[in-house]
Amino acid sequence: MRDAINFLCEYAIDNGYNLRFALEPKPNEPRSDTYFATIGHMLAFIYTLDHPEMIGVNPEVAHEHMSGLNFVHGVAQALEAGKLFHIDLNDQKGPRYDQDLRFGSENIKSMFFLVRLLENNGYSGPRHFDAHAYRTEDEQGVWDFAAGCMRTYNILREKARRFDADPAVQELLATVNGGNSEHISWLGEVRNGYSKELANKLKEADFNPTALGQRGYQYEKLDQMAIEHILGIR
Ligand SMILES: [Mn+2]
């Protein structure tokens, strides 16, 4: 696989083609195993290539669910790495085989957070629906299916916008991301890099597990707010 992709990249460069390639992970099917099962496997592989800058990922909702993984987290990691070149949107019920269902027709909460992630983090690549209508549809049914994929994406985009604009949500997020101001300032220092002084300061710090453990994080309340936005109550 590495030799083939290295060769392909050189071919594109040699011919002056301004191309990038997006690799699509999938854990199994048609046979029981594939080599690059998940977004994480692909990301690790990409950095072993001769031209990693030309290669990214094309994650698919159904494929990551077949591995039993959190698709939104995988896509976030690809985005953060600058490797989300393309995305295959569809839906999936459980881990059984690749279902390619209409986008947003099954995992509505997960798809809400997916759309919010894409829209809030500057994803500008294709929003591609790798999905298939039920085989029982006639031609009009297939067009209904295609419109449904796009309509649900747009609805979730609007829901995500309203969720982020909700003052109660913003207040909760500020609380969740708040906490001990001294600890938060240390996190900022850690982000700036290692130093012996900082390591010693952290070793000498007095963390009080009992007091820290008493803090409620209000994730239940926040999650319920997301559900209420999705259900159209807020
Ligand atoms: Mn696909």
Side-chain angles (χ1 to χ4, degrees), residues 87-117:
I87 191 163
D88 274 4
L89 301 167
N90 57 21
D91 218 333
Q92 173 83 7
K93 194 186 294 189
R96 296 167 301 154
Y97 59 88
D98 191 3
Q99 295 157 24
D100 289 343
L101 297 172
R102 192 178 74 257
F103 177 68
S105 60
E106 282 295 329
N107 300 283
I108 195 74
K109 179 176 158 189
S110 177
M111 295 308 102
F112 167 79
F113 283 114
L114 174 67
V115 170
R116 180 172 178 265
L117 177 77

Side-chain angles (χ1 to χ4, degrees), residues 24 60 63 88 130:
E24 180 171 343
E60 175 174 318
H63 295 177
D88 274 4
D130 184 1

Side-chain angles (χ1 to χ4, degrees), residues 147-167:
C149 286
M150 293 185 277
R151 184 166 161 76
T152 299
Y153 187 98
N154 287 336
I155 291 169
L156 291 176
R157 178 166 56 194
E158 177 58 18
K159 294 271 183 192
R161 193 195 62 70
R162 290 188 197 183
F163 175 76
D164 287 327
D166 184 339

Side-chain angles (χ1 to χ4, degrees), residues 15 35 164:
N15 285 277
Y35 287 119
D164 287 327

